[in-house]
Amino acid sequence: MKQKPLSDLDAVNNALRQKLLAEVAIEAIEGQLELAITPLKAAADADAAPHRELIEQLDAAMHLFWVPRREGPMKSIPLTFGTIGERKAPEKTSLRKGWKISTIIGLIQRRGEWWYEKFVRQPEPELNKKALLLATDDELETLRFCGIFIDPGEPEFYAKTDRTTLASAMTWPPA
């Protein structure tokens, strides 16, 4: 349906009134829905709590199994119902507290053109985080002087289930 333009400010004001009433009606309907959902959500959370606790206990036990094996040749162990292992947390860059980015970029620029081109992106000067994360130890030392720090990230344990094995998990152990 093609909409016609409103004829005057009274018509626009009336349209705003109708829109306001429609918005309030929607909010009332959604409020009723929220009231109906709240007790259901609380009941579902209560029913799920023992399962969440079991998952936490199983994850902790699998992590304890993994810890003495983390230095081995495998970074993960595939099993019938999933995989356990360790992945490196992403590295993060941070700036010296209280320093402005313009000050840090200026210090990098004073190191020379090679440093500026490698670690500062254009057209608006900003740090090239990808290059920072790939910097050598010697480069990192100079970058620390310029006010940039790299947190290497700690390895994180994971235990990921494989949903494709759900049917066999329901009948485990095999008869």
Side-chain angles (χ1 to χ4, degrees), residues 17-159:
R17 181 183 141 282
Q18 290 176 23
K19 180 179 177 181
L20 174 63
L21 293 174
E23 289 170 348
V24 169
I26 290 170
E27 289 170 8
I29 292 166
E30 290 173 348
Q32 291 296 328
L33 175 63
E34 191 64 36
L35 287 174
I37 289 174
T38 300
L40 296 172
K41 185 173 179 349
D45 285 345
D47 290 347
H51 299 287
R52 287 191 181 95
E53 289 173 19
L54 176 61
I55 288 170
E56 283 182 26
Q57 292 169 0
L58 293 170
D59 280 345
M62 287 184 282
H63 184 247
L64 290 173
F65 172 85
W66 175 258
V67 168
R69 292 157 181 83
R70 73 171 11 138
E71 298 303 322
M74 298 179 69
K75 293 299 171 199
S76 65
I77 302 172
L79 299 161
T80 304
F81 299 110
T83 304
I84 64 168
E86 201 167 72
R87 61 181 152 244
K88 188 176 177 193
E91 295 177 330
K92 296 176 185 155
T93 58
S94 60
L95 307 179
R96 183 167 285 155
K97 198 170 189 170
W99 284 31
K100 293 181 180 177
I101 190 75
S102 59
T103 303
I104 292 170
I105 289 174
L107 286 171
I108 292 172
Q109 189 172 19
R110 286 188 202 131
R111 303 295 306 163
E113 187 177 336
W114 180 86
W115 285 87
Y116 188 77
E117 287 178 5
K118 182 169 183 178
F119 295 111
V120 178
R121 287 194 298 189
Q122 297 296 331
E124 234 179 86
E126 64 180 348
L127 294 174
N128 183 345
K129 290 192 178 188
K130 187 174 181 180
L132 292 171
L133 294 175
L134 298 173
T136 66
D137 288 341
D138 290 339
E139 291 169 341
L140 288 175
E141 188 61 36
T142 300
L143 291 167
R144 273 191 284 280
F145 171 77
C146 294
I148 299 171
F149 302 95
I150 308 294
D151 176 7
E154 291 295 317
E156 297 174 339
F157 171 77
Y158 68 92

